[in-house]
Amino acid sequence: MPNQIQCAEIGVHLHLYYEDLADEFCEYFQHIPESFDLYVSVKNLDHLNELQKKFQKISNVNQVVLKETPNRGRDIAPFYVLFREELQNHKYLLHVHSKKSLYKGKEDVTWRRDAMDGVLKDASMVKEVLRLFREERAGIVCGEMTDQLPLDAFHWLGCKEKAKEFLPRIGIPFSNDMFFYPIGSFFWAKQEAISDLFQQNLTYEDFDEEDSQLDGTLAHVLERVVALVSEKNNFKIFVYNNEEKVFYKDFGRKPIKNYFRRNVESIGRYIAYNCDVVSFDIFETLITRINEELYIPRKDIKNLFEYVKECKKRIILLSDTCLPRQTVEDILHRCGIEGYDELWLSSELKLSEEDGSMWDAFFEKYPQKTIHIGNDPVLDCNRLAAREKTYIFTPSPKDLARFSDDYEKIKALSTDDVGDVLTLTKLVNEGKYNEAFYNSKKEPQGKKWIYNQLRFAENLLAEPAVEGVFSVEQILKEDVIHISGWSFVPNMTDDSFFERKLLLKDPYGKIYEADVDAIFREDVSEQYGNGVNYRFAGFECNLNKDDLKVDTIPYQLGIKSKSAGKTYYSWGDAYLNSDYMPPKEQIIESFSISEEKELHESSLVEYEIESLEKNEDFVKITGWAFCNGNQHIYYQPMLGIIKDDKLMLSKLETYNRGDVALNYPKVHYLYRVGFAAVIRLKNMSYETDFILRFFNNYNADVRDVIISKDFC
């Protein structure tokens, strides 16, 4: 009997519906740094030998198994049916497939490659995935959601009814709340975390016949439920952001960042120029419930409601509710919601958002220039998307909290205990998750994730500067760098076509740009307009602190404006720079004897000793130093002493010195050149020379400067 091949710890399933993508997957599989078994499902075995040879050439592949699969259940059915027995022999699983999304009219390469980068970016990333499985109790690891989908995709949507049928089989109660899952079904899984799904013994007949469905099939249910079953089994989900090269726990941050780019002003501006009729969902959108009798408004949605009223738009409030009209009107009145034009209630009209009859009636009456604002991903979003109508998704307070740092706390309070329920409601509905949009004047939910993308401004042309149209009013530097002010192009007659970018110019001449959000500023229009409308002259921009070296480099702020096909640049007097923070002193208790006794005095070292104090107990030395100009980043600074004809060294800790960077504008990125060391060595005479040594780890180059004892 021939020897059986022993299974590797890692099992990889590739559903290769499009065989022309085999080479692309072979390249990605080269990033798996450990032995793995590869299981490939194909629609037929016509090219079996050719594919087998390709996959066998992958570096760490242990065995390759190809099987034919019917075109039913897409990539999901082969995973749980065709290779069910084989995959249960592995500790760690990877599931990927040859997604082309041809329903869009052409191949969508971006989605597939973004998804593959989310699970197989490179070997170091995969090593970290395996470490998360082995050390951090990871159950699912996947990439961030594609930019092509909105936040409301994190819901059952069209799978709601099928989910209600399937979830009891695996002991999970149905919830209509939002949740994070690997959208697109590219994911790593610990087999133990999702074993419940293999144990369902699904067959191809359980899956829907292929009919180009975009949602609503069992395959779409299983795409979502993999995250829930992992959580049920007390495993964690980790999400890899391939742009930032970091893993996040519990949920991805990209959809949250994209959602929070909006605010009341930017949405109000869109409505002002594009809509005649605005409808608001009532419960958990316009108002939220605190207890059996108390409702309160969601502050920023109410502000948007008031702004829409000022714009003289027709406002319809609607709800799928069993409450009578008088009760709803009383609740709205107590919440200060007045002045709407119509109130559509399912209890009165005998129409329903659930079955779509309310929307059919609504769009028959108002066929054009409408926008709906609501919190339910199905009733307020999915139903409108199916009718190709415009909507704005505003997650409920509870759903916003789900995608926040408070998630663990909220899970702990999600019990039947009355006290927990009241605490949770106050924390979520009345607290910081009451507001649906980013509010720069308050600490927002998930503030550290909210920023406008910063880009290097290539091919920036020297257009004429525009005088007197740019003002920075506020710069806040916390987790997010918030910059706000106003700007406009003189004599522009219609600011609806006004495009702007915030510019940041560093001392070296490099210019960066970021999108800004338009803010309603009637005061600017009144002061400077002279009959011209500058109502949306205000702007806000939120930048990721890590994208800018604000601890070191000051950036001059400006605005790039486009109007009527012409681009203008305006540079102001405002600077984004650092607040000087005194360094923490480094305490040196010991030196190591250097193997290199000879000194290499060099003129390549730039330095200044700003203070050198000594007494019988210690020596304190402060200053700054760097070596070899733009190559300074390769040199590690050390502080040394000469004792008994021996050179003794200690690594020197450095901190940011923006003033030094400004004094050496031709040397790029002098971030960490300052030092403040206190030497405390017992039984040592401090009558010695001090040495600044710079060592290049790449080519072993050594540069020394002697700081004479005569200095002090």
Side-chain angles (χ1 to χ4, degrees):
M1 180 181 291
N3 292 330
Q4 262 193 326
I5 299 176
Q6 186 175 359
C7 287
E9 276 197 322
I10 301 171
V12 176
H13 172 233
L14 165 62
H15 179 58
L16 191 64
Y17 186 81
Y18 300 106
E19 295 179 7
D20 58 302
L21 296 177
D23 290 336
E24 179 179 315
F25 284 97
C26 285
E27 290 181 21
Y28 274 107
F29 292 151
Q30 293 286 4
H31 298 160
I32 301 177
E34 298 182 13
S35 177
F36 67 96
D37 294 334
L38 177 60
Y39 304 96
V40 185
S41 49
V42 291
K43 56 187 174 183
N44 58 60
L45 297 177
D46 294 350
H47 304 101
L48 174 64
N49 292 334
E50 178 186 344
L51 291 171
Q52 191 89 27
K53 288 177 182 178
K54 280 186 179 182
F55 292 128
Q56 288 286 7
K57 292 179 181 179
I58 300 170
S59 297
N60 288 314
V61 75
N62 179 45
Q63 60 177 325
V64 178
V65 181
L66 283 92
K67 289 186 181 182
E68 183 176 348
T69 182
N71 187 22
R72 187 165 181 165
R74 300 189 185 174
D75 60 290
I76 301 294
F79 187 72
Y80 292 112
V81 180
L82 187 65
F83 289 116
R84 174 172 58 237
E85 299 301 326
E86 292 92 334
L87 293 174
Q88 289 184 88
N89 292 323
H90 300 274
K91 279 189 177 181
Y92 314 119
L93 305 176
L94 171 63
H95 172 72
V96 295
H97 55 103
S98 56
K99 186 178 182 66
K100 282 193 176 183
S101 301
L102 295 178
Y103 65 87
K104 299 179 180 181
K106 62 178 181 178
E107 180 183 355
D108 189 343
V109 176
T110 301
W111 189 339
R112 182 180 68 251
R113 291 187 177 166
D114 281 350
M116 288 299 292
D117 284 343
V119 291
L120 287 172
K121 176 70 173 178
D122 51 43
S124 62
M125 175 264 180
V126 178
K127 285 180 182 178
E128 179 62 12
V129 170
L130 297 173
R131 189 196 70 78
L132 291 171
F133 282 136
R134 290 163 179 158
E135 300 178 18
E136 302 292 340
R137 201 167 173 76
I140 297 291
V141 182
C142 60
E144 286 275 18
M145 181 182 76
T146 173
D147 284 329
Q148 299 175 31
L149 292 176
L151 182 61
D152 49 280
F154 289 110
H155 190 269
W156 294 110
L157 299 180
C159 304
K160 187 174 176 180
E161 295 308 315
K162 266 192 164 49
K164 288 180 179 179
E165 295 174 10
F166 183 80
L167 288 175
R169 294 173 58 173
I170 52 176
I172 297 177
F174 176 81
S175 169
N176 200 40
D177 297 335
M178 296 178 68
F179 60 98
F180 190 89
Y181 66 94
I183 287 182
S185 285
F186 292 75
F187 62 88
W188 286 90
K190 198 168 190 176
Q191 195 274 134
E192 181 186 357
I194 64 169
S195 60
D196 297 25
L197 297 177
F198 288 117
Q199 292 166 13
Q200 297 308 304
N201 295 320
L202 295 168
T203 67
Y204 278 101
E205 287 68 33
D206 291 318
F207 288 85
D208 304 77
E209 292 187 14
E210 180 58 38
D211 192 25
S212 301
Q213 303 98 319
L214 298 180
D215 202 0
T217 68
L218 178 61
H220 290 106
V221 171
L222 291 170
E223 174 188 10
R224 292 160 167 82
V225 83
V226 66
L228 298 181
V229 74
S230 174
E231 183 177 15
K232 171 209 164 193
N233 291 327
N234 297 314
F235 288 92
K236 304 171 185 174
I237 186 169
F238 288 85
V239 184
Y240 180 68
N241 186 305
N242 67 62
E243 296 169 355
E244 301 174 9
K245 293 182 172 58
V246 297
F247 289 85
Y248 291 109
K249 189 164 74 76
D250 293 330
F251 56 93
R253 271 51 174 180
K254 181 184 278 190
I256 307 299
K257 292 176 184 176
N258 292 339
Y259 171 78
F260 277 115
R261 294 188 192 285
R262 305 178 301 177
N263 56 29
V264 172
E265 290 83 0
S266 60
I267 293 173
R269 180 185 184 187
Y270 176 85
I271 290 173
Y273 286 102
N274 295 282
C275 306
D276 294 332
V277 179
V278 183
S279 57
F280 289 85
D281 173 65
I282 298 174
F283 298 101
E284 300 309 314
T285 298
L286 194 53
I287 62 177
T288 186
R289 189 176 185 174
I290 301 301
N291 57 42
E292 288 293 330
E293 298 181 353
L294 178 61
Y295 290 84
I296 62 172
R298 295 186 72 185
K299 303 180 190 70
D300 50 357
I301 308 266
K302 184 173 183 290
N303 290 340
L304 179 61
F305 171 84
E306 296 296 337
Y307 174 78
V308 172
K309 278 202 307 185
E310 290 180 11
C311 292
K312 308 299 182 185
K313 305 297 180 181
R314 187 164 190 83
I315 299 175
I316 291 91
L317 306 188
L318 47 78
S319 179
D320 249 4
T321 180
C322 60
L323 296 175
R325 169 178 283 269
Q326 188 60 55
T327 300
V328 175
E329 288 180 341
D330 288 346
I331 292 171
L332 291 170
H333 174 72
R334 290 197 298 271
C335 290
I337 309 296
E338 307 278 7
Y340 46 88
D341 296 288
E342 298 177 46
L343 181 62
W344 289 42
L345 303 176
S346 57
S347 58
E348 181 177 70
L349 299 174
K350 308 305 178 186
L351 300 172
S352 170
E353 291 180 78
E354 185 71 48
D355 65 16
S357 57
M358 183 178 289
W359 290 121
D360 292 338
F362 182 88
F363 291 117
E364 183 178 355
K365 184 173 182 179
Y366 300 109
Q368 294 178 330
K369 290 192 174 183
T370 63
I371 190 168
H372 178 65
I373 298 158
N375 75 285
D376 191 299
V378 175
L379 305 184
D380 297 312
C381 305
N382 194 254
R383 295 287 184 270
L384 277 83
R387 292 165 171 77
E388 298 183 347
K389 298 298 183 180
T390 304
Y391 67 87
I392 292 177
F393 176 54
T394 56
S396 69
K398 187 176 181 181
D399 285 333
L400 279 178
R402 170 61 183 85
F403 295 100
S404 77
D405 284 342
D406 288 329
Y407 177 54
E408 293 295 332
K409 185 192 305 182
I410 288 163
K411 277 203 302 185
L413 290 170
S414 298
T415 71
D416 294 330
D417 181 81
V418 175
D420 285 348
V421 171
L422 292 175
T423 301
L424 182 60
T425 304
K426 195 163 185 67
L427 169 68
V428 175
N429 293 25
E430 190 176 2
K432 62 183 177 181
Y433 301 104
N434 174 279
E435 298 191 38
F437 305 116
Y438 173 60
N439 181 347
S440 62
K441 299 174 178 60
K442 287 184 59 178
E443 179 176 343
Q445 50 270 25
K447 178 176 65 173
K448 62 185 178 185
W449 318 321
I450 308 162
Y451 55 82
N452 299 74
Q453 185 179 3
L454 186 71
R455 301 172 296 273
F456 177 64
E458 300 183 59
N459 304 319
L460 197 63
L461 301 177
E463 297 283 350
V466 181
E467 299 293 335
V469 297
F470 174 53
S471 174
V472 174
E473 297 174 318
Q474 186 180 50
I475 299 176
L476 300 175
K477 289 179 294 180
E478 296 177 0
D479 292 330
V480 166
I481 299 172
H482 170 77
I483 303 171
S484 61
W486 54 265
S487 71
F488 58 83
V489 175
N491 303 318
M492 179 180 59
T493 57
D494 184 359
D495 67 355
S496 64
F497 301 102
F498 184 27
E499 299 178 22
R500 285 172 297 179
K501 307 284 186 186
L502 180 70
L503 301 178
L504 301 96
K505 181 162 64 176
D506 71 15
Y508 318 118
K510 284 189 176 181
I511 299 176
Y512 302 84
E513 67 178 21
D515 297 329
V516 300
D517 294 316
I519 305 298
F520 184 82
R521 288 292 297 268
E522 192 69 51
D523 59 325
V524 175
S525 186
E526 291 175 356
Q527 185 172 354
Y528 298 98
N530 293 323
V532 179
N533 179 9
Y534 297 143
R535 290 185 305 160
F536 289 98
F539 68 82
E540 284 187 352
C541 185
N542 301 291
L543 299 174
N544 187 348
K545 191 174 183 180
D546 294 334
D547 288 345
L548 294 165
K549 302 299 181 182
V550 292
D551 291 334
T552 302
I553 300 176
Y555 294 85
Q556 186 180 12
L557 299 178
I559 283 284
K560 179 173 75 173
S561 307
K562 282 188 177 181
S563 179
K566 190 170 183 179
T567 304
Y568 300 86
Y569 299 92
S570 176
W571 295 99
D573 297 328
Y575 278 81
L576 173 64
N577 55 16
S578 63
D579 299 319
Y580 177 75
M581 296 293 290
K584 183 178 179 180
E585 293 177 345
Q586 175 189 1
I587 307 299
I588 298 177
E589 301 281 4
S590 63
F591 286 99
S592 298
I593 298 176
S594 171
E595 295 179 3
E596 176 62 66
K597 309 297 192 300
E598 182 182 354
L599 296 183
H600 302 264
E601 295 189 57
S602 174
S603 60
L604 292 178
V605 179
E606 300 279 355
Y607 74 99
E608 181 177 342
I609 305 302
E610 295 171 317
S611 69
L612 200 159
E613 306 170 24
K614 69 172 186 174
N615 60 29
E616 59 185 14
D617 296 320
F618 68 86
V619 168
K620 179 178 179 181
I621 182 170
T622 64
W624 57 264
F626 65 92
C627 180
N628 202 9
N630 285 330
Q631 301 298 311
H632 69 90
I633 58 174
Y634 300 115
Y635 285 85
Q636 168 65 54
M638 290 177 278
L639 183 64
I641 59 173
I642 298 175
K643 182 179 181 184
D644 300 330
D645 293 326
K646 295 178 181 178
L647 178 60
M648 306 177 72
L649 296 168
S650 176
K651 181 180 177 181
L652 197 59
E653 296 177 5
T654 55
Y655 64 93
N656 290 329
R657 285 290 297 265
D659 55 332
V660 177
L662 288 176
N663 289 333
Y664 289 86
K666 294 183 179 180
V667 181
H668 285 196
Y669 310 121
L670 287 174
Y671 300 147
R672 302 184 65 87
V673 296
F675 56 84
V678 176
I679 305 166
R680 290 178 176 169
L681 299 182
K682 295 180 180 179
N683 303 319
M684 173 188 166
S685 170
Y686 292 109
E687 295 300 321
T688 179
D689 287 336
F690 290 96
I691 310 298
L692 278 176
R693 165 162 289 192
F694 289 85
F695 181 75
N696 189 317
N697 290 306
Y698 290 93
N699 60 16
D701 184 34
V702 178
R703 303 287 174 176
D704 295 317
V705 170
I706 300 174
I707 305 170
S708 172
K709 59 178 175 283
D710 296 334
F711 182 91
C712 51

